[in-house]
């Protein structure tokens, strides 16, 4: 299932990771593990935030993916199922059948 992972990082933990040079490595390791379709980095409510779209094969992957963000960056994590245009069209074609 295609999901959107939102990871909002604690400012102090992220600042420390920048100071000690580990933030880039943490993000790179996460992206290698997740293999995202797309990844965007911005701020949300004043926190460094990553939005990552990827294919989650099974729900057991959630703790594996989340723990790096939790342990290293004290991040707030959410997962949301999402669709691309092809998925929407496929779903709409099934309505009323």
């Amino acid at each position: 299932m295609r999901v959107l992972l939102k990871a909002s990082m604690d400012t102090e933990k992220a600042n420390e990771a920048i100071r000690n040079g580990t933030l880039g490595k943490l993000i790179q390791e996460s992206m290698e593990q997740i293999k995202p379709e797309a990844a965007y980095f911005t701020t949300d409510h004043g926190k460094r935030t990553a939005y990552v779209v990827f294919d989650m094969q099974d729900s057991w992957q959630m703790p594996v993916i989340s723990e790096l963000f939790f342990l290293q960056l004290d991040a707030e994590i959410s997962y949301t199922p999402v669709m691309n245009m092809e998925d929407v069209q496929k779903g709409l074609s099934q309505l009323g059948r």
Side-chain angles (χ1 to χ4, degrees), residues 55-94:
D55 185 33
M56 183 180 291
Q57 298 297 317
D58 204 322
S59 58
W60 65 261
Q61 292 175 282
M62 291 171 72
V64 175
I65 292 166
S66 300
E67 286 309 316
L68 182 65
F69 291 105
F70 285 143
L71 293 171
Q72 301 297 319
L73 299 169
D74 200 19
E76 295 178 16
I77 305 288
S78 65
Y79 290 91
T80 305
V82 295
M83 297 180 284
N84 63 16
M85 183 57 79
E86 183 180 313
D87 296 332
V88 170
Q89 290 174 334
K90 183 176 180 180
L92 290 174
S93 74
Q94 300 300 310

Side-chain angles (χ1 to χ4, degrees), residues 4-14 42 44-52 62 65-80:
L4 170 66
L5 165 67
K6 177 183 173 187
S8 294
M9 304 165 214
D10 176 75
T11 301
E12 287 305 313
K13 289 277 193 168
T42 187
D44 186 39
H45 294 83
K47 292 185 177 185
R48 291 176 185 92
T49 303
Y51 291 95
V52 183
M62 291 171 72
I65 292 166
S66 300
E67 286 309 316
L68 182 65
F69 291 105
F70 285 143
L71 293 171
Q72 301 297 319
L73 299 169
D74 200 19
E76 295 178 16
I77 305 288
S78 65
Y79 290 91
T80 305

Side-chain angles (χ1 to χ4, degrees), residues 7-62:
S8 294
M9 304 165 214
D10 176 75
T11 301
E12 287 305 313
K13 289 277 193 168
N15 286 348
E16 181 60 30
I18 288 171
R19 285 186 200 105
N20 67 28
T22 60
L23 184 60
K25 183 180 176 187
L26 292 169
I27 290 172
Q28 182 178 347
E29 288 175 3
S30 296
M31 297 304 105
E32 288 171 0
Q33 178 185 39
I34 296 169
K35 297 175 182 51
E37 174 182 318
Y40 302 96
F41 303 89
T42 187
T43 60
D44 186 39
H45 294 83
K47 292 185 177 185
R48 291 176 185 92
T49 303
Y51 291 95
V52 183
V53 178
F54 69 103
D55 185 33
M56 183 180 291
Q57 298 297 317
D58 204 322
S59 58
W60 65 261
Q61 292 175 282
M62 291 171 72

